[in-house]
Amino acid sequence: MRIKYLVSASLIVLLQACSSAPSQVVINPELPIVQGNGYAQQSVVTSVLDLRTAHHLIQIEKPEQAAKLVSTQQHLPDIIERALKRSFERAGMSVNTASEKTIEVVINEALFVVKQETLKYRANANIVLTAKVENGSKTLTKTFTVRGNNEGPLTADIAVLERDFNQLLTKIIGNIVNDQEVQQFVNN
């Protein structure tokens, strides 16, 4: 009985040691559900600025080891800007470079921190974006935050974390596009 337990425990540790997380993930958020046509006949210029100090998306921390950092295949500001443009266009807005109205989104935080233990993991995600909307001489600045968590046995599945991150990104982009204050500010 004791030998079976030792063999099982050794096998789990060996499998965990042999598995390695990929160094990059694919971030491709879906277009969020747009509520109504709140931006009809409006035109805006969009941009995304990344103010994070570290540009990885997933940080896997194991006891007494250096953290494993996982980045995106594409530049995160480009991914967010493309999704924002498509979402605003879906809401009836024209996104072009000839508008006096601007929406600048600042990436303050976008990180999934995984605490990996021997037989389980806990992962917490935090995405914080600040939308700065300029309409003539007026400016509206609003911060949007989404959080998520994930836990399970053995090691964290990078594909699950990637899926969860994409869902959180879809949600926060939808929060920005559907925000009543942003819509009213752009429309006035």
Side-chain angles (χ1 to χ4, degrees):
M1 179 73 169
R2 191 167 196 197
I3 292 175
K4 286 183 180 179
Y5 174 75
L6 287 174
V7 169
S8 296
S10 298
L11 183 60
I12 289 172
V13 170
L14 182 63
L15 286 173
Q16 219 173 0
C18 291
S19 67
S20 63
S23 61
Q24 292 187 327
V25 291
V26 176
I27 300 301
N28 188 19
E30 294 180 19
L31 290 182
I33 295 172
V34 176
Q35 299 169 353
N37 202 7
Y39 298 102
Q41 308 301 316
Q42 297 299 321
S43 177
V44 73
V45 176
T46 62
S47 63
V48 177
L49 181 63
D50 193 351
L51 294 184
R52 297 175 298 153
T53 54
H55 296 280
H56 58 279
L57 290 184
I58 300 173
Q59 180 173 310
I60 302 171
E61 300 173 352
K62 294 181 180 179
E64 300 179 26
Q65 292 184 19
K68 170 120 175 102
L69 308 178
V70 182
S71 301
T72 60
Q73 287 183 338
Q74 295 177 331
H75 198 52
L76 186 60
D78 295 340
I79 295 167
I80 292 174
E81 185 166 6
R82 188 170 48 253
L84 272 172
K85 282 181 179 179
R86 291 177 30 217
S87 299
F88 279 125
E89 287 170 348
R90 184 183 259 189
M93 187 184 303
S94 171
V95 179
N96 59 52
T97 58
S99 177
E100 292 181 14
K101 298 175 184 176
T102 64
I103 299 176
E104 178 184 71
V105 173
V106 176
I107 306 170
N108 299 309
E109 187 176 355
L111 185 62
F112 230 128
V113 177
V114 179
K115 303 283 186 186
Q116 182 67 59
E117 297 176 20
T118 305
L119 296 175
K120 66 179 181 175
Y121 72 91
R122 277 186 338 273
N124 295 306
N126 217 21
I127 302 176
V128 181
L129 303 179
T130 300
K132 179 182 172 188
V133 185
E134 294 184 351
N135 187 349
S137 62
K138 299 176 187 173
T139 302
L140 169 70
T141 302
K142 191 164 183 180
T143 300
F144 298 85
T145 302
V146 292
R147 291 182 173 85
N149 55 47
N150 187 330
E151 58 182 57
L154 301 176
T155 60
D157 184 347
I158 296 299
V160 171
L161 298 177
E162 180 180 285
R163 179 203 65 206
D164 290 352
F165 196 89
N166 278 315
Q167 289 173 346
L168 290 172
L169 203 51
T170 297
K171 181 178 180 180
I172 199 166
I173 290 169
N175 291 349
I176 293 169
V177 173
N178 292 316
D179 186 79
Q180 291 297 314
E181 277 186 275
V182 172
Q183 286 182 8
Q184 289 172 359
F185 198 81
V186 169
N187 287 323
N188 291 328

